[in-house]
Amino acid sequence: MAGPSKSLILDPALQKYYELTANRYKYFRWTPRHAWFSFLYMALIPGTLGYITYKTEGKWELRGKRRGDTISEW
């Protein structure tokens, strides 16, 4: 028959890892490293991408071009 049986042996290291990931919020502490990564992923990267897209909006028109036409509009 398929499925787990009484002879199934669970790996203790994996069980410890699963327990740690389920309770990660209990062991989290703010450190300078965590603060830097949070700033990087929540402010710096989206801000940079937003700035780049704002500055290049309308600069390239990729639809309706023929061979030999330039893609830059200005």
Side-chain angles (χ1 to χ4, degrees):
M1 291 249 185
S5 63
K6 292 183 179 182
S7 64
L8 180 66
I9 300 172
L10 300 174
D11 187 6
L14 281 176
Q15 292 300 319
K16 184 177 179 182
Y17 174 74
Y18 295 149
E19 186 69 27
L20 179 70
T21 55
N23 297 315
R24 186 173 301 273
Y25 69 95
K26 295 178 184 176
Y27 304 106
F28 180 79
R29 290 193 178 178
W30 280 105
T31 62
R33 183 172 188 249
H34 287 144
W36 169 246
F37 280 134
S38 296
F39 174 74
L40 182 71
Y41 289 124
M42 290 189 290
L44 191 63
I45 292 175
T48 304
L49 289 175
Y51 177 77
I52 290 170
T53 56
Y54 180 74
K55 284 298 188 181
T56 60
E57 182 182 8
K59 190 170 184 178
W60 296 291
E61 182 64 43
L62 299 178
R63 289 188 187 174
K65 295 293 180 180
R66 297 182 182 197
R67 186 179 298 166
D69 292 344
T70 62
I71 62 169
S72 64
E73 293 293 320
W74 42 279

